[in-house]
Amino acid sequence: MARKRSEPVSEHPVPTGDALDAGERGPTVERIAQDVASAIVEKRIPPGTWLREEALGRVYAVSRTKVRAALLMLAKDKLVQTIPDKGTFVCQPSVQEAREVFSARRLVESQIVRLFVAKAKRADYERLRQHVRVERSTLKAPALGVVREKLLGDFHVALAEAGGHQVLAEIVTELVARSSLIAMLYQSTNDAHCSTDEHEQFLRICESGQVDDAVANMMEHLHRLEASLDLNQDRPDRQLDLVNALMM
């Protein structure tokens, strides 16, 4: 997801943040970036989609300069990539990248689990259990499938934030967003009921103070998520109306 950060630098600098927002009405650059990032993570905009500046400008009633600044923010999160003379597209992770993302998650989240077990307070556990209850409640509403998928990823982000390490939390936020793209591209067969049950079981192990067991449980969870992907298939060629996708 898009986060606050220093202004991006490119060969042709584009004014961002307050510099643009002060001189133009409509949503802020960061708001546009967050909105598009949410649409990508929630699977409304699939990998490979061309993010046309003109179309985005119409949706948000802003200039192409402001749209370009928002796309630069998304590029820093590895959610989009700009191809010279072609445009900006939602990233299409390769099979190798998919495996590397999950490998990176295991490395980072193993440390996050250790920090969480060492530092978490009763309020942190209650906050995460409330998150699990929300996950479970969304299973009763099939139309909210994209929201449910986002909640499953947000559990890992919330866990990282509760561990108190801001940099690791930012890394996990990016990796979870990229994982969502990977799941969308390679059609995850992940059962949301299982993920929610595993989150609940994981919290019970953490609360017992068995840090090694908690780490092992999280590693099994991430291995299962990766195993649910079909990493032998060709990339689908899926087209959509970008404007309608953002208006959903």
Side-chain angles (χ1 to χ4, degrees):
M1 302 292 290
R3 306 184 301 274
K4 290 185 178 180
R5 55 174 68 74
S6 58
E7 294 183 0
V9 178
S10 66
E11 293 181 0
H12 303 289
V14 176
T16 60
D18 295 338
L20 268 174
D21 298 330
E24 183 179 343
R25 293 183 178 180
T28 64
V29 169
E30 186 172 66
R31 169 65 186 277
I32 295 170
Q34 290 175 337
D35 196 35
V36 176
S38 294
I40 293 171
V41 171
E42 293 171 10
K43 305 184 180 182
R44 286 183 278 132
I45 304 179
T49 300
W50 177 21
L51 300 176
R52 302 185 305 279
E53 293 177 4
E54 182 181 359
L56 290 170
R58 290 202 307 274
V59 170
Y60 296 106
V62 297
S63 68
R64 292 179 65 174
T65 299
K66 201 169 190 178
V67 167
R68 199 170 299 123
L71 294 177
L72 282 171
M73 295 180 74
L74 294 171
K76 290 179 71 67
D77 280 337
K78 303 293 191 291
L79 289 178
V80 306
Q81 61 177 344
T82 298
I83 301 175
D85 300 322
K86 290 188 177 181
T88 300
F89 300 82
V90 178
C91 287
Q92 295 193 86
S94 65
V95 168
Q96 179 178 347
E97 182 180 345
R99 296 194 185 282
E100 289 178 354
V101 164
F102 277 93
S103 175
R105 284 190 64 175
R106 286 190 287 271
L107 288 170
V108 172
E109 293 194 50
S110 63
Q111 181 60 26
I112 283 172
V113 171
R114 294 184 184 280
L115 289 170
F116 178 77
V117 174
K119 297 183 177 182
K121 296 180 171 41
R122 184 182 299 274
D124 296 314
Y125 281 102
E126 179 52 36
R127 192 176 302 112
L128 286 165
R129 285 203 168 92
Q130 174 60 26
H131 190 101
V132 171
R133 287 192 287 270
V134 173
E135 287 178 17
R136 199 175 298 284
S137 69
T138 62
L139 297 176
K140 301 175 184 178
L144 297 178
V146 294
V147 177
R148 180 195 62 207
E149 290 291 336
K150 182 176 184 299
L151 281 170
L152 292 174
D154 283 349
F155 176 87
H156 294 261
V157 176
L159 180 72
E161 291 173 345
H165 196 300
Q166 183 60 36
V167 173
L168 287 180
E170 290 179 357
I171 292 171
V172 167
T173 300
E174 177 182 319
L175 290 173
V176 165
R178 294 173 73 174
S179 296
S180 180
L181 276 174
I182 290 164
M184 188 184 346
L185 184 60
Y186 295 103
Q187 297 181 346
S188 173
T189 58
N190 177 39
D191 187 328
H193 290 270
C194 291
S195 287
T196 296
D197 290 342
E198 288 173 9
H199 288 169
E200 197 167 45
Q201 180 189 40
F202 167 76
L203 288 175
R204 287 197 297 270
I205 296 172
C206 288
E207 203 161 24
S208 73
Q210 301 299 315
V211 63
D212 290 337
D213 289 347
V215 171
N217 181 270
M218 178 58 77
M219 295 306 98
E220 290 173 7
H221 176 62
L222 293 174
H223 274 296
R224 190 188 65 75
L225 292 179
E226 182 179 0
S228 73
L229 304 176
D230 181 2
L231 297 179
N232 296 312
Q233 66 174 349
D234 293 329
R235 296 174 178 174
D237 182 16
R238 180 179 165 193
Q239 303 295 324
L240 89 168
D241 185 323
L242 176 60
V243 174
N244 286 338
L246 285 169
M247 297 300 287
M248 289 173 61

